């Protein structure tokens, strides 16, 4: 139809520049270690879930009350009351929700780099700028660089993973605390691999109003 634009031509220009990094599981290999896949198939969990289907009402819209049991278990596991916890469909939804809550299009997100590629991907999809601050040669956190970047770009959000992905190391707790105390930004610490180290910043959440900690079932819990 002449004179009509194609839908592809109407896609935001900045989105056309983003290359997809999606990966598909390869059944010919036992597990993709970079995605933390398990070589063991926990099929018994699926069987247990199927037995519970009779107690569900799939014809009803999801209600917050449906997660009460899960929140109760997580409250016991984390040591936080349920009111402190927010559930999401994967940590990526929590990352997205954090960005949508505190940032506007055109804002900057400061991230320690290299790290989880979904941070810049999601921020750029939302029309935000990602400021990548390289970690030091010994894999330690460049706190001064992060603080300077956050100040220069008036960044509402700082993100880092601890333990870091892909370097696998923990950042110094005193340095983490210094960054939280000396910045004016929301600081989000991604603790996807917390269960492998047992070290967490979650105990600081009650102390620092601008601290958010993300966790996930997709790693240690497979």
């Amino acid at each position: 139809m002449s004179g009509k634009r194609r839908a592809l031509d109407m896609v935001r220009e900045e989105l056309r520049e983003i290359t997809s990094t999606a990966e598909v599981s390869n059944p010919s290999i036992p597990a993709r270690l970079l995605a933390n896949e398990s070589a063991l198939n926990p099929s018994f969990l699926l069987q247990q879930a199927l037995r519970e289907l009779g107690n569900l009402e799939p014809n009803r819209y999801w209600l917050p009350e449906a997660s009460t049991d899960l929140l109760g278990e997580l409250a016991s596991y984390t040591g936080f009351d349920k009111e402190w916890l927010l559930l999401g469909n994967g940590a990526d939804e929590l990352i997205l929700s954090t960005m949508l809550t505190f940032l506007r299009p055109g804002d900057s997100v400061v991230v320690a780099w290299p790290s989880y590629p979904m941070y810049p991907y999601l921020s750029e999809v939302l029309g935000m700028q990602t400021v990548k601050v390289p970690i030091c040669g010994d894999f330690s956190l460049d706190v001064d660089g992060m603080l300077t970047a956050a100040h220069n770009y008036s960044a509402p959000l700082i993100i880092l993973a601890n333990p870091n992905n892909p370097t696998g190391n923990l950042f110094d707790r005193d340095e983490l605390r210094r960054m939280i105390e000396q910045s004016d930004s929301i600081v989000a610490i991604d603790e996807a691999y917390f269960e492998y180290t047992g070290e967490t910043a979650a105990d600081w959440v009650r102390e620092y109003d601008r601290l958010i900690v993300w966790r996930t079932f997709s790693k240690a819990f497979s």
Side-chain angles (χ1 to χ4, degrees):
M1 298 175 62
S2 61
K4 297 295 184 180
R5 291 187 296 172
R6 298 185 307 155
L8 182 60
D9 296 331
M10 300 172 69
V11 174
R12 288 161 42 204
E13 290 184 8
E14 61 270 25
L15 294 187
R16 301 179 197 174
E17 304 298 323
I18 299 177
T19 302
S20 174
T21 58
E23 301 174 2
V24 179
S25 292
N26 186 342
S28 66
I29 58 177
R32 295 178 308 159
L33 297 183
L34 80 164
N36 209 67
E37 288 185 343
S38 172
L40 303 176
N41 184 359
S43 58
F44 69 92
L45 293 176
L46 176 59
Q47 296 169 8
Q48 180 178 336
L50 289 173
R51 288 194 295 268
E52 295 292 331
L53 281 178
N55 299 323
L56 300 180
E57 295 181 305
N59 54 308
R60 303 300 303 275
Y61 276 103
W62 178 86
L63 297 174
E65 293 80 6
S67 61
T68 299
D69 290 344
L70 176 59
L71 279 172
E73 293 292 336
L74 288 175
S76 177
Y77 177 70
T78 62
F80 282 85
D81 292 337
K82 291 183 289 186
E83 290 74 18
W84 289 79
L85 305 176
L86 177 67
L87 300 180
N89 293 311
D92 287 352
E93 185 182 42
L94 297 179
I95 297 170
L96 181 64
S97 297
T98 301
M99 292 180 176
L100 288 172
T101 300
F102 295 105
L103 287 85
R104 296 173 176 83
D107 280 345
S108 296
V109 181
V110 174
V111 299
W113 200 257
S115 195
Y116 185 40
M118 286 301 289
Y119 306 149
Y121 176 80
L122 290 175
S123 67
E124 289 161 19
V125 164
L126 294 174
M128 302 160 189
Q129 178 183 6
T130 306
V131 182
K132 299 177 180 178
V133 178
I135 59 177
C136 301
D138 61 355
F139 294 169
S140 61
L141 189 65
D142 182 3
V143 176
D144 291 330
M146 300 280 285
L147 291 171
T148 298
H151 174 76
N152 290 344
Y153 288 89
S154 300
L157 179 63
I158 296 174
I159 300 176
L160 58 91
N162 195 47
N164 190 41
N165 171 8
T167 56
N169 62 292
L170 282 163
F171 295 125
D172 183 81
R173 284 178 63 85
D174 291 337
E175 293 288 78
L176 290 177
R177 184 182 284 272
R178 182 165 74 90
M179 186 174 64
I180 296 169
E181 292 181 344
Q182 295 184 9
S183 74
D184 293 322
S185 309
I186 298 291
V187 177
I189 300 180
D190 189 343
E191 294 187 348
Y193 295 91
F194 156 73
E195 282 79 12
Y196 295 94
T197 67
E199 186 168 316
T200 179
D203 51 320
W204 296 345
V205 169
R206 296 183 180 92
E207 183 179 354
Y208 298 109
D209 177 65
R210 290 176 290 100
L211 175 62
I212 296 173
V213 175
W214 298 320
R215 296 270 185 88
T216 183
F217 284 118
S218 68
K219 302 300 183 274
F221 296 101
S222 192

